[in-house]
């Protein structure tokens, strides 16, 4: 095979495409929610249980998926889970009621849980520490691109055919990606297209391989795990609220129809893409321009983004739906900055051999927060409205940033010399 300069960036592009496929399937439900509520006779509370089925399965499975990928390897593991989430999404077309939809949604959650731990593990294997936040930013852009593409693509297919075909189409995309991943991915030590110079660059930055991989219990007992997991628990409700509830909010409280939602609901995810990518570049910029050290630069970026998260907390004060969408855009931008830098921290402080498992548990903490908050929305949105719930999201992120700043001492000793 011909040698490819800077192959690691092509690997990130491949991961990004997989994440796009993952989030296109995931966000199909939120986009189709107004149709599904009518077609399947669902209440808002029942819809929250469908969302909760995905979140619960995803929450339980994330550390398991991370451990499986650590055990069997990225090439086979990521491809296997890609096939599984594609099939699970296509099965949504068979749903005859909200219970069936919840069952298939749970299967999707089990399968999709491997995406982030696998992506972070790949970046830990392929990138030196100083480039990781940039790589995670581009990888994380796939989450927003998938969410951005979902409203126009899913609604176009559903208007052309129906909502069942929309689930089949968005699921089939993942099958194509899984085949491409298995065909082209290898580790840096095994990839026939890597140049000797790039292989040496990656190897020089790798810490020594530990004599044995840390167990799950040992990871959970470390202070560095708690320092990252608590802010992730507090930050994740915002992204899951944006992913699963924006279309319903725009329909119920802002009076938008399906076509208007298709025109505007993707904008917060475009802003999220920008936030994720720029958040990745922010850390090396702070290091280069102001001499901030590696871990502190990640935390500084998270704190800045937490302040920006005040914007979506003010959505209840917005007079027009377009102002509300603009505030959602600021929130999407800020949240993805937080997401990129928190995920990068897990690659900074855990070894490549254990980061899949560690990031799985950190993701599980986040999804517990997202699950609990989605169930809260299902219980309260029709009674008190969405405004106080969006305000709570801002408070959560500010508290998470404070926790991370106070926990710096547990993260800095792991920083590379």
């Amino acid at each position: 095979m011909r040698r490819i300069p800077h192959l690691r960036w092509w690997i990130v592009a491949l991961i990004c495409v997989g994440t796009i496929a993952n989030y296109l399937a995931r966000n199909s439900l939120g986009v189709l929610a107004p149709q599904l509520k009518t077609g399947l006779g669902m209440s808002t509370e029942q819809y929250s249980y469908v969302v909760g089925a995905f979140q619960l399965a995803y929450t339980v499975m994330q550390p398991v998926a991370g451990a499986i990928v650590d055990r069997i390897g990225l090439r086979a593991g990521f491809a296997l889970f890609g096939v599984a989430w594609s099939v699970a999404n296509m099965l949504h077309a068979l749903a005859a009621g909200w219970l069936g939809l919840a069952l298939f949604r749970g299967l999707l959650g089990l399968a999709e849980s491997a995406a982030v731990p696998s992506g972070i593990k790949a970046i830990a294997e392929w990138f030196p520490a100083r480039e990781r936040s940039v790589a995670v930013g581009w990888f994380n852009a796939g989450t927003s691109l998938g969410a951005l593409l979902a409203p126009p693509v899913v609604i176009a297919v559903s208007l052309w055919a129906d909502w069942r075909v929309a689930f089949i189409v968005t699921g089939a995309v993942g099958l194509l990606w899984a085949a491409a991943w298995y065909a082209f991915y290898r580790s840096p030590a095994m990839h026939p297209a890597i140049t000797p110079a790039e292989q040496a660059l990656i190897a020089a930055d790798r810490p020594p391989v530990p004599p044995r991989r840390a167990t799950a219990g040992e990871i959970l007992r470390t202070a560095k795990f708690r320092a990252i997991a608590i802010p992730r628990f507090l930050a994740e409700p915002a992204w899951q609220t944006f992913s699963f509830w924006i279309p319903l909010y725009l329909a119920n409280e802002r009076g938008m129809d399906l076509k208007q939602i298709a025109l505007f609901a993707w904008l917060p995810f475009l802003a999220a893409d920008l936030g994720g990518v720029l958040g990745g570049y922010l850390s090396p910029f702070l290091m280069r321009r102001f001499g901030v050290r590696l871990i502190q630069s990640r935390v500084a970026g998270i704190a800045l983004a937490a302040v920006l998260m005040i914007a979506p907390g003010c959505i209840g004060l917005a007079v027009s739906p377009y102002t509300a969408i603009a505030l959602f855009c600021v929130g999407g931008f800020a949240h993805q900055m937080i997401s990129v830098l928190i995920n990068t921290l897990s690659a900074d402080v855990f070894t490549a051999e254990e980061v899949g498992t560690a990031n799985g548990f950190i993701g599980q903490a986040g999804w517990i927060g997202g699950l609990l908050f989605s169930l809260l929305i299902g219980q309260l949105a029709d009674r008190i409205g969405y405004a106080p719930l969006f305000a709570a999201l801002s408070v959560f992120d500010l508290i998470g940033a404070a926790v991370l700043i106070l926990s710096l001492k547990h993260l800095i000793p792991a920083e590379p010399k």
Side-chain angles (χ1 to χ4, degrees):
M1 183 179 291
R2 183 175 64 88
R3 304 282 181 164
I4 301 174
H6 311 294
L7 180 62
R8 62 193 184 279
W9 296 106
W10 290 99
I11 296 295
V12 166
L14 185 58
I15 298 169
C16 181
V17 173
T19 312
I20 291 171
N22 183 284
Y23 268 74
L24 182 61
R26 182 181 309 186
N27 281 50
S28 297
L29 178 75
V31 174
L32 293 168
Q35 292 185 60
L36 293 171
K37 284 187 67 180
T38 301
L40 299 180
M42 283 192 298
S43 67
T44 301
E45 183 175 347
Q46 288 169 336
Y47 174 73
S48 75
Y49 295 149
V50 173
V51 172
F54 175 91
Q55 292 170 309
L56 179 61
Y58 195 105
T59 299
V60 171
M61 189 63 180
Q62 250 195 311
V64 178
I68 290 172
V69 172
D70 275 343
R71 180 66 59 182
I72 70 174
L74 269 170
R75 184 188 179 207
F78 209 175
L80 176 66
F81 279 104
V83 170
W85 86 56
S86 301
V87 173
N89 196 72
M90 297 168 78
L91 288 174
H92 284 50
L94 302 177
W98 76 268
L99 283 172
L101 194 61
L103 171 63
F104 298 134
R105 203 67 187 168
L107 293 176
L108 183 68
L110 292 175
E112 287 204 338
S113 62
V116 174
S118 297
I120 295 299
K121 182 176 177 66
I123 287 168
E125 287 187 354
W126 274 88
F127 282 84
R130 64 182 179 275
E131 294 180 343
R132 281 184 197 140
S133 67
V134 177
V136 173
W138 284 107
F139 148 54
N140 208 58
T143 66
S144 304
L145 278 171
L148 181 156
L149 291 171
V153 170
V154 173
I155 290 176
V157 175
S158 68
L159 292 176
W160 167 68
D162 60 20
W163 61 266
R164 298 181 190 277
V165 176
F167 280 121
I168 293 172
V169 169
T170 54
V173 173
L175 293 176
L176 298 175
W177 174 83
W181 176 264
Y182 191 78
F184 296 114
Y185 183 80
R186 303 290 189 279
S187 68
M190 301 293 293
H191 207 296
I194 192 170
T195 64
E198 185 170 24
Q199 196 167 47
L201 172 70
I202 295 167
D205 193 71
R206 290 290 299 276
V209 177
R212 66 177 183 85
R213 183 186 292 114
T215 66
E218 289 168 341
I219 290 171
L220 290 171
R221 286 192 292 272
T222 61
K224 62 185 178 182
F225 168 79
R226 294 189 295 273
I228 302 173
I230 293 172
R232 180 72 186 272
F233 171 84
L234 293 166
E236 189 64 26
W239 186 242
Q240 295 190 35
T241 300
F242 292 172
S243 297
F244 297 126
W245 293 93
I246 283 180
L248 273 183
Y249 167 77
L250 295 176
N252 293 347
E253 294 215 356
R254 298 294 178 171
M256 286 188 167
D257 60 27
L258 201 60
K259 291 183 180 179
Q260 289 175 311
I261 292 172
L263 286 173
F264 294 103
W266 58 273
L267 289 172
F269 301 105
L270 174 62
D273 266 334
L274 298 175
V277 173
L278 292 178
Y281 282 101
L282 177 61
S283 176
F285 170 78
L286 293 175
M287 294 169 65
R288 184 176 61 253
R289 182 70 175 82
F290 299 103
V292 180
R293 296 185 68 189
L294 181 72
I295 300 298
Q296 289 92 329
S297 71
R298 316 291 201 219
V299 175
I302 291 168
L304 173 61
V307 173
L308 293 177
M309 277 298 296
I310 294 172
C314 299
I315 281 174
L317 304 176
V319 176
S320 77
Y322 307 106
T323 304
I325 290 169
L327 293 173
F328 275 131
C329 288
V330 177
F333 180 93
H335 174 80
Q336 287 302 78
M337 284 182 64
I338 293 172
S339 179
V340 163
L341 293 170
I342 284 183
N343 276 321
T344 305
L345 274 174
S346 66
D348 291 332
V349 304
F350 292 99
T351 68
E353 291 71 27
E354 65 191 15
V355 71
T357 303
N359 187 265
F361 278 114
I362 290 166
Q364 183 180 63
W367 277 77
I368 289 172
L371 168 62
L372 294 176
F373 198 75
S374 281
L375 294 175
L376 188 66
I377 292 175
Q379 295 296 320
L380 298 180
D382 288 343
R383 302 178 191 175
I384 66 173
Y386 287 83
L389 297 167
F390 288 133
L393 297 176
S394 300
V395 176
F396 293 163
D397 279 318
L398 291 169
I399 294 173
V403 169
L404 200 52
I405 291 169
L406 293 173
S407 303
L408 264 173
K409 62 183 179 181
H410 301 303
L411 302 173
I412 291 173
E415 182 175 345
K417 300 296 185 184

